[in-house]
Amino acid sequence: MVDGKAIYRLEQIRRTYEVGGELVHALDGIDLSITSGEFIAVIGTSGSGKSTLMHTLGFMDSPTAGKMVFEEQDVSNISRSLRAQFRATRIGFVFQAFNLLPRLSVLDNVVLPLTYSRARFSRKEKMARGTSVLERVNMAHRLTHRPSQLSGGERQRVAIARSLINQPSLILADEPTGNLDTSNRGRVMELFSSLIEEGITLVLVTHDDEVANYAQRRICMQDGKIIEDDQG
Ligand code: ADP
Ligand code: MG
């Protein structure tokens, strides 16, 4: 459901690191537009800048130069606190290692990001929201389980539910199937595909061509540049 609304516009984004007196151009002039409802796979060899791009899109890192427009607002030079607020409420993150807290139940893991939102939620509202996103990933039958009591595929589905809890405009997933076996990889990708049908926007980094083939658009990076953008 690509509805044509631009979520992100990156113009000539650069991110340079200095290591031992040498400059590393992790991002070397990235131009990219992301439209609401798109599913974009980012591929490319190790060290090509994929994670740096994700950190930049997710307000976890600031570019050295260039212009970024997020939801029609120029965010190239916004304050640290506004960045933290966008990170907490407008972007959902899914990681290779799931990053669930072992001592918390499935439900408490999923509602945790609501704590960082400015809005205040009652326990009852949190339960309702948490249960609803867990239903979307078919994990509502495991509310009181701990992460250690779940399979890898189930843990990733819970992490995906957590990424949805604030109704973000964009989900960023860095190698989300990297720790999964083939059958769980398939189930997680089917889940992402059904969420795309429901209207989420997803940027997903992968080394895996089969995973990349689920996306409508594939972007290939090399040496901090986009060398291919296949929307076919
Ligand atoms: P990928 O995710 O595609 O493997 P990264 O975005 O992690 O690539 O890294 C891109 C380049 O930037 C690499 O050459 C990497 O060594 C360098 N780099 C990444 N993060 C840092 C950092 N914090 N300090 C110095 N160099 C970095
Ligand atoms: Mg990486």
mmCIF file of all heavy atoms in Angstrom, residues 195-213:
data_model
loop_
_atom_site.group_PDB
_atom_site.id
_atom_site.type_symbol
_atom_site.label_atom_id
_atom_site.label_comp_id
_atom_site.label_asym_id
_atom_site.label_seq_id
_atom_site.Cartn_x
_atom_site.Cartn_y
_atom_site.Cartn_z
ATOM 1 N N LEU A 195 2.323 -7.230 7.375
ATOM 2 C CA LEU A 195 2.300 -5.884 7.978
ATOM 3 C C LEU A 195 2.405 -4.800 6.903
ATOM 4 O O LEU A 195 1.811 -3.725 7.021
ATOM 5 C CB LEU A 195 3.421 -5.734 9.003
ATOM 6 C CG LEU A 195 3.286 -6.617 10.251
ATOM 7 C CD1 LEU A 195 4.558 -6.549 11.095
ATOM 8 C CD2 LEU A 195 2.084 -6.224 11.097
ATOM 9 N N ILE A 196 3.161 -5.096 5.830
ATOM 10 C CA ILE A 196 3.234 -4.168 4.697
ATOM 11 C C ILE A 196 1.848 -3.995 4.073
ATOM 12 O O ILE A 196 1.404 -2.882 3.788
ATOM 13 C CB ILE A 196 4.248 -4.683 3.642
ATOM 14 C CG1 ILE A 196 5.672 -4.618 4.180
ATOM 15 C CG2 ILE A 196 4.126 -3.912 2.330
ATOM 16 C CD1 ILE A 196 6.221 -3.228 4.381
ATOM 17 N N GLU A 197 1.129 -5.122 3.915
ATOM 18 C CA GLU A 197 -0.253 -5.048 3.381
ATOM 19 C C GLU A 197 -1.130 -4.163 4.268
ATOM 20 O O GLU A 197 -2.029 -3.481 3.781
ATOM 21 C CB GLU A 197 -0.881 -6.451 3.335
ATOM 22 C CG GLU A 197 -0.086 -7.470 2.566
ATOM 23 C CD GLU A 197 -0.540 -7.561 1.122
ATOM 24 O OE1 GLU A 197 -1.739 -7.663 0.914
ATOM 25 O OE2 GLU A 197 0.338 -7.510 0.236
ATOM 26 N N GLU A 198 -0.851 -4.180 5.586
ATOM 27 C CA GLU A 198 -1.641 -3.362 6.521
ATOM 28 C C GLU A 198 -1.186 -1.906 6.524
ATOM 29 O O GLU A 198 -1.762 -1.088 7.250
ATOM 30 C CB GLU A 198 -1.526 -3.911 7.947
ATOM 31 C CG GLU A 198 -2.166 -5.261 8.153
ATOM 32 C CD GLU A 198 -1.891 -5.827 9.555
ATOM 33 O OE1 GLU A 198 -1.553 -5.036 10.468
ATOM 34 O OE2 GLU A 198 -1.988 -7.049 9.715
ATOM 35 N N GLY A 199 -0.083 -1.597 5.815
ATOM 36 C CA GLY A 199 0.286 -0.198 5.656
ATOM 37 C C GLY A 199 1.546 0.273 6.367
ATOM 38 O O GLY A 199 1.853 1.456 6.333
ATOM 39 N N ILE A 200 2.318 -0.637 7.023
ATOM 40 C CA ILE A 200 3.556 -0.158 7.638
ATOM 41 C C ILE A 200 4.597 0.139 6.549
ATOM 42 O O ILE A 200 4.480 -0.309 5.402
ATOM 43 C CB ILE A 200 4.164 -1.143 8.670
ATOM 44 C CG1 ILE A 200 4.740 -2.388 8.001
ATOM 45 C CG2 ILE A 200 3.174 -1.460 9.775
ATOM 46 C CD1 ILE A 200 5.849 -3.044 8.838
ATOM 47 N N THR A 201 5.625 0.894 6.912
ATOM 48 C CA THR A 201 6.751 1.194 6.032
ATOM 49 C C THR A 201 7.987 0.555 6.657
ATOM 50 O O THR A 201 8.206 0.696 7.860
ATOM 51 C CB THR A 201 6.943 2.713 5.911
ATOM 52 O OG1 THR A 201 5.688 3.306 5.612
ATOM 53 C CG2 THR A 201 7.951 3.066 4.827
ATOM 54 N N LEU A 202 8.775 -0.158 5.836
ATOM 55 C CA LEU A 202 9.863 -0.968 6.391
ATOM 56 C C LEU A 202 11.144 -0.789 5.588
ATOM 57 O O LEU A 202 11.136 -0.873 4.359
ATOM 58 C CB LEU A 202 9.433 -2.452 6.352
ATOM 59 C CG LEU A 202 10.451 -3.518 6.753
ATOM 60 C CD1 LEU A 202 10.871 -3.377 8.213
ATOM 61 C CD2 LEU A 202 9.869 -4.917 6.516
ATOM 62 N N VAL A 203 12.245 -0.538 6.292
ATOM 63 C CA VAL A 203 13.575 -0.603 5.682
ATOM 64 C C VAL A 203 14.325 -1.717 6.402
ATOM 65 O O VAL A 203 14.455 -1.693 7.627
ATOM 66 C CB VAL A 203 14.344 0.731 5.800
ATOM 67 C CG1 VAL A 203 15.723 0.604 5.161
ATOM 68 C CG2 VAL A 203 13.565 1.865 5.137
ATOM 69 N N LEU A 204 14.793 -2.701 5.639
ATOM 70 C CA LEU A 204 15.352 -3.918 6.218
ATOM 71 C C LEU A 204 16.721 -4.201 5.603
ATOM 72 O O LEU A 204 16.862 -4.243 4.383
ATOM 73 C CB LEU A 204 14.366 -5.059 5.934
ATOM 74 C CG LEU A 204 14.657 -6.474 6.386
ATOM 75 C CD1 LEU A 204 13.337 -7.213 6.593
ATOM 76 C CD2 LEU A 204 15.495 -7.218 5.372
ATOM 77 N N VAL A 205 17.730 -4.348 6.449
ATOM 78 C CA VAL A 205 19.071 -4.705 5.980
ATOM 79 C C VAL A 205 19.215 -6.211 5.993
ATOM 80 O O VAL A 205 18.821 -6.870 6.959
ATOM 81 C CB VAL A 205 20.143 -4.077 6.900
ATOM 82 C CG1 VAL A 205 21.514 -4.701 6.631
ATOM 83 C CG2 VAL A 205 20.214 -2.578 6.714
ATOM 84 N N THR A 206 19.757 -6.769 4.930
ATOM 85 C CA THR A 206 19.987 -8.222 4.904
ATOM 86 C C THR A 206 21.160 -8.595 4.011
ATOM 87 O O THR A 206 21.500 -7.892 3.069
ATOM 88 C CB THR A 206 18.721 -8.969 4.429
ATOM 89 O OG1 THR A 206 18.951 -10.368 4.532
ATOM 90 C CG2 THR A 206 18.349 -8.617 2.994
ATOM 91 N N HIS A 207 21.794 -9.734 4.364
ATOM 92 C CA HIS A 207 22.823 -10.327 3.506
ATOM 93 C C HIS A 207 22.213 -11.369 2.580
ATOM 94 O O HIS A 207 22.893 -11.942 1.740
ATOM 95 C CB HIS A 207 23.823 -11.111 4.379
ATOM 96 C CG HIS A 207 24.919 -10.279 4.925
ATOM 97 N ND1 HIS A 207 24.949 -9.863 6.241
ATOM 98 C CD2 HIS A 207 26.033 -9.786 4.347
ATOM 99 C CE1 HIS A 207 26.038 -9.152 6.428
ATOM 100 N NE2 HIS A 207 26.715 -9.081 5.300
ATOM 101 N N ASP A 208 20.908 -11.651 2.815
ATOM 102 C CA ASP A 208 20.288 -12.860 2.305
ATOM 103 C C ASP A 208 19.394 -12.501 1.109
ATOM 104 O O ASP A 208 18.396 -11.798 1.256
ATOM 105 C CB ASP A 208 19.477 -13.434 3.481
ATOM 106 C CG ASP A 208 18.807 -14.745 3.171
ATOM 107 O OD1 ASP A 208 18.552 -15.012 1.983
ATOM 108 O OD2 ASP A 208 18.523 -15.480 4.124
ATOM 109 N N ASP A 209 19.749 -12.985 -0.083
ATOM 110 C CA ASP A 209 18.978 -12.646 -1.295
ATOM 111 C C ASP A 209 17.523 -13.074 -1.189
ATOM 112 O O ASP A 209 16.635 -12.390 -1.684
ATOM 113 C CB ASP A 209 19.606 -13.323 -2.524
ATOM 114 C CG ASP A 209 20.864 -12.599 -2.970
ATOM 115 O OD1 ASP A 209 21.022 -11.414 -2.593
ATOM 116 O OD2 ASP A 209 21.690 -13.215 -3.672
ATOM 117 N N GLU A 210 17.274 -14.220 -0.538
ATOM 118 C CA GLU A 210 15.883 -14.689 -0.427
ATOM 119 C C GLU A 210 15.055 -13.730 0.408
ATOM 120 O O GLU A 210 13.884 -13.489 0.132
ATOM 121 C CB GLU A 210 15.848 -16.092 0.175
ATOM 122 C CG GLU A 210 16.202 -17.140 -0.846
ATOM 123 C CD GLU A 210 15.932 -18.544 -0.334
ATOM 124 O OE1 GLU A 210 14.860 -18.776 0.243
ATOM 125 O OE2 GLU A 210 16.831 -19.390 -0.509
ATOM 126 N N VAL A 211 15.687 -13.168 1.435
ATOM 127 C CA VAL A 211 15.004 -12.174 2.264
ATOM 128 C C VAL A 211 14.785 -10.895 1.454
ATOM 129 O O VAL A 211 13.691 -10.326 1.439
ATOM 130 C CB VAL A 211 15.816 -11.904 3.554
ATOM 131 C CG1 VAL A 211 15.288 -10.684 4.291
ATOM 132 C CG2 VAL A 211 15.779 -13.129 4.464
ATOM 133 N N ALA A 212 15.812 -10.469 0.738
ATOM 134 C CA ALA A 212 15.707 -9.236 -0.070
ATOM 135 C C ALA A 212 14.604 -9.356 -1.112
ATOM 136 O O ALA A 212 13.963 -8.360 -1.476
ATOM 137 C CB ALA A 212 17.047 -8.929 -0.735
ATOM 138 N N ASN A 213 14.345 -10.575 -1.578
ATOM 139 C CA ASN A 213 13.329 -10.764 -2.613
ATOM 140 C C ASN A 213 11.899 -10.531 -2.129
ATOM 141 O O ASN A 213 11.001 -10.401 -2.938
ATOM 142 C CB ASN A 213 13.447 -12.156 -3.231
ATOM 143 C CG ASN A 213 14.602 -12.223 -4.212
ATOM 144 O OD1 ASN A 213 15.028 -11.196 -4.751
ATOM 145 N ND2 ASN A 213 15.137 -13.408 -4.419
#
